[in-house]
């Protein structure tokens, strides 16, 4: 079924599943019509089943020839945990995409790509697209600890230089990605910085790049419902104007985003999310006991 000019809603089969870290999973799904149209920066919304919550995920990779889309997600609540239980060969009930706008693909010069935590996945196709256009790509990826790091090889394959940080120093340089960003900007400058990760990281990167006067793109992932610009759930303030992330973004000028408002809005539903996860885990445990008995 065609939703808008671009997006398609289909049933997608999970072809491959990989456990990247205890809570971060990768799935390659067969979605040829989505893969054919996908561009770096776009996202999909999926629903596991009829009753499922809609989960927006930035596309981590796409292969039009194989007809596949790769998604990477962190199990943070009921819906992502349920998705994580799906196995190779299972279907995902609704898989809608590609949604949102792609990044501007052109030769900028020196591009610095910053990926924090799960944000490493969505920064990869952006780095790849810009590298293929002849940009010099410096990538900086970071995680809290060595065990949470993934796709160092993938990022290395699309970067001229790759820096890795961990907050606790268990791998790569000790500290946040921002300390390397500052060093690179001081030593060689940049024509564009792309940052994807936690809101605080994107805020701190944007504050830094503003000081150095370097244009900056960030990719936002606020709570979404319909993903088509109708419910207003994903609104963010950019340059003092209300924007809908699902249709106006998800990539925005990092210097113009109101990060504090975004952080506050992200916290709005924490209690409900926690309750839904606890109830689901309790039901699951009861079912397991029933089956065992
Ligand atoms: P995390 O908290 O483990 O942080 C990852 C890295 O970001 C850290 O190692 C550090 O280098 C950097 N960082 C974190 N806080 C910072 C700060 N205050 N200053 C400077 N650098 C900082 O991240 P996580 O638990 O993997 O969470 C990833 C986040 O990314 C989630 O909040 C998720 O919503 C977001 N995300 C965004 C997208 C997107 O498309 N925008 C996609 C996936 C995930
Ligand atoms: Fe509803 Fe964007 S998710 S307007």
């Amino acid at each position: 079924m065609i939703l808008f000019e671009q997006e398609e809603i289909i049933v997608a089969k999970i072809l491959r599943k990989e456990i990247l870290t205890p809570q971060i999973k990768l799935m390659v799904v067969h979605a040829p019509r989505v893969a054919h149209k996908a561009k770096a920066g776009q996202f999909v919304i999926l629903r596991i089943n009829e009753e499922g919550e809609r989960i927006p995920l930035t596309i981590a990779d796409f292969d039009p020839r194989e007809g596949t889309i790769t998604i990477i997600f962190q199990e943070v609540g009921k819906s992502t945990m349920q998705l994580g239980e799906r196995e190779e060969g299972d279907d995902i009930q609704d898989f809608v995409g590609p949604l949102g706008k792609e990044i501007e693909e052109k030769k900028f010069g020196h591009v610095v790509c910053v990926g924090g935590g799960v944000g490493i996945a969505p920064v990869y196709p952006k780095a790849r697209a810009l590298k293929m256009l002849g940009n010099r790509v410096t990538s900086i990826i970071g995680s809290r600890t060595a065990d949470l790091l993934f796709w160092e090889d993938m990022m290395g394959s699309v970067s001229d230089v790759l820096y890795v940080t961990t907050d606790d120093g268990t791998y790569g340089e000790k500290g946040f990605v921002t300390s390397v960003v500052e060093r690179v900007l001081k030593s060689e400058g940049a024509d564009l910085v792309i940052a994807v990760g936690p809101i605080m990281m994107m805020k701190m990167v944007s504050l830094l790049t503003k000081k150095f006067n370097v244009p900056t793109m960030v990719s936002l992932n606020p709570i979404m419902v319909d993903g088509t610009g109708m419910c207003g759930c994903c609104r963010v303030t950019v340059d003092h104007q209300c924007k809908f992330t699902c249709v106006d973004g998800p990539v925005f000028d990092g210097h113009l985003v109101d990060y504090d408002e975004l952080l506050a809005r992200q916290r709005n539903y924490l209690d409900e999310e926690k309750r839904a996860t606890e109830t689901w885990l309790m039901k699951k445990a009861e079912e397991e006991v029933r089956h065992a008995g």
Side-chain angles (χ1 to χ4, degrees):
M1 185 212 309
I2 296 175
L3 279 185
F4 278 65
E5 209 180 306
Q6 282 286 321
E7 305 100 47
E8 306 247 6
I9 177 165
I10 55 165
V11 174
K13 191 173 283 304
I14 301 166
L15 300 180
R16 188 162 71 82
K17 176 179 171 183
E18 205 181 309
I19 296 168
L20 298 178
T21 79
Q23 279 179 335
I24 302 176
K25 291 185 176 147
L26 171 152
M27 283 176 182
V28 178
V29 303
H30 189 238
R33 295 208 301 264
V34 182
H36 186 66
K37 294 175 185 161
K39 293 261 169 40
Q42 293 187 295
F43 67 98
V44 294
I45 292 189
L46 60 89
R47 227 163 42 122
I48 304 164
N49 52 37
E50 284 291 333
E51 297 84 41
E53 192 188 2
R54 295 158 73 86
I55 309 173
L57 291 170
T58 312
I59 295 170
D61 199 1
F62 54 94
D63 185 335
R65 274 176 309 176
E66 296 289 324
T68 57
I69 295 280
T70 302
I71 51 171
I72 291 183
F73 56 96
Q74 189 172 23
E75 295 184 1
V76 285
K78 177 189 164 201
S79 299
T80 43
M81 284 177 189
Q82 281 179 315
L83 178 61
E85 288 188 338
R86 293 284 150 138
E87 297 298 342
E88 290 174 2
D90 288 348
D91 283 336
I92 293 173
Q93 166 87 35
D94 301 335
F95 197 83
V96 186
L99 296 158
K101 292 183 177 158
E102 67 265 31
I103 57 158
E104 191 185 0
E105 292 186 17
K106 66 170 194 182
K107 190 151 181 193
F108 292 93
H110 181 210
V111 179
V112 175
C113 294
V114 189
V118 197
I120 296 168
V123 94
Y124 166 77
K126 299 174 179 65
R128 181 179 60 182
L130 295 177
K131 175 75 186 144
M132 278 167 67
L133 285 167
N135 289 283
R136 183 159 68 88
V137 175
T138 298
S139 296
I140 304 163
I141 57 171
S143 62
R144 266 172 277 150
T145 184
D147 295 345
L148 297 178
L149 190 73
F150 63 91
W151 272 19
E152 182 186 0
D153 52 344
M154 296 283 278
M155 285 305 293
S157 70
V158 295
S159 310
D160 293 277
V161 184
L162 172 69
Y163 297 97
V164 182
T165 65
T166 49
D167 301 5
D168 62 2
T170 44
Y171 188 75
E173 286 186 43
K174 187 175 194 292
F176 284 168
V177 283
T178 35
S179 51
V180 183
V181 175
E182 183 162 26
R183 202 170 69 223
V184 170
L185 293 182
K186 266 187 190 153
S187 63
E188 47 186 316
D191 299 297
L192 175 72
V193 170
I194 301 177
V196 192
I199 300 169
M200 269 315 279
M201 184 209 90
M202 294 191 282
K203 178 180 172 177
M204 300 318 281
V205 169
S206 300
L207 286 173
L208 255 177
T209 55
K210 204 168 164 64
K211 230 170 57 181
F212 287 87
N213 209 16
V214 178
T216 300
M217 290 181 200
V218 294
S219 177
L220 307 182
N221 68 333
I223 298 160
M224 289 191 187
V225 179
D226 67 307
T228 57
M230 285 189 274
C231 70
C233 186
C234 65
R235 65 189 178 277
V236 286
T237 302
V238 182
D239 200 14
H240 308 287
Q241 290 173 39
C242 175
K243 297 280 179 192
F244 290 170
T245 306
C246 64
V247 286
D248 300 319
V251 175
F252 291 103
D253 180 337
H255 295 159
L256 303 178
V257 172
D258 184 337
Y259 294 101
D260 295 335
E261 180 195 62
L262 184 57
L263 276 167
R265 282 180 59 82
Q266 288 292 81
R267 288 190 207 107
N268 273 352
Y269 301 101
L270 281 184
D271 286 346
E272 285 83 349
E273 282 168 15
K274 194 164 164 252
R275 262 202 305 276
T277 306
E278 283 169 359
T279 310
W280 177 71
L281 285 172
M282 215 140 68
K283 270 193 190 152
K284 206 175 133 195
E286 281 167 9
E287 262 168 40
E288 276 166 12
V289 169
R290 247 201 317 275
H291 276 123

